Amino acid sequence: PTRRYPQVAELLGRWLADRLPAEAKGFTWTSINVNCNYAAAVHRDNGNFGPSFIKAFGDFTGGELDYWPEDAREGDVKDLPKKEKQSFDLGKGLVLFNGNCGHAVQPFEGSRYSLVY
């Protein structure tokens, strides 16, 4: 789709660049994932080259990002201690996280879209 509609990727890239906090102005990305009504179960991304920014949009409730920043990436991701997770309301702003560490999306109601860079 990027080759067929390069302006869409350019627009999404500009959207992020215009909203990056000052300390992250040098942030780069190699892909943009566009999700619609997707509540990912707890998982670790495979092969990310660096951190990711994520933001959610739409008319929805719930759908927070659960994230285990201290995940040692050993053992079954489903066994990560609940007390060590952090939760972020992605509807309120951009969140920077390491997708190679455990993360999930809480259940939600409504229409939820997300962008992951």
Side-chain angles (χ1 to χ4, degrees):
T2 302
R3 289 187 181 147
R4 191 167 182 186
Y5 303 103
Q7 295 85 2
V8 173
E10 182 181 334
L11 176 70
L12 294 175
R14 189 177 317 144
W15 181 91
L16 178 64
D18 289 348
R19 287 159 179 80
L20 285 173
E23 62 272 15
K25 287 296 182 188
F27 179 78
T28 59
W29 60 92
T30 58
S31 62
I32 305 169
N33 290 329
V34 180
N35 301 305
C36 175
N37 295 330
Y38 180 59
V42 65
H43 68 284
R44 297 178 183 113
D45 294 344
N46 187 13
N48 283 11
F49 291 110
S52 297
F53 269 106
I54 185 171
K55 172 74 171 92
F57 308 87
D59 184 14
F60 66 93
T61 57
E64 290 83 2
L65 175 71
D66 288 341
Y67 173 54
W68 285 261
E70 302 301 320
D71 178 9
R73 301 178 208 142
E74 298 173 353
D76 191 332
V77 70
K78 293 176 184 156
D79 295 331
L80 289 169
K82 301 285 186 218
K83 65 181 180 180
E84 293 181 11
K85 77 176 179 181
Q86 297 178 4
S87 294
F88 298 93
D89 184 346
L90 301 178
K92 291 187 176 178
L94 287 166
V95 173
L96 181 68
F97 74 107
N98 179 351
N100 293 319
C101 293
H103 59 286
V105 174
Q106 293 181 16
F108 60 88
E109 291 185 13
S111 295
R112 182 183 181 277
Y113 300 86
S114 64
L115 297 173
V116 186
Y117 297 81

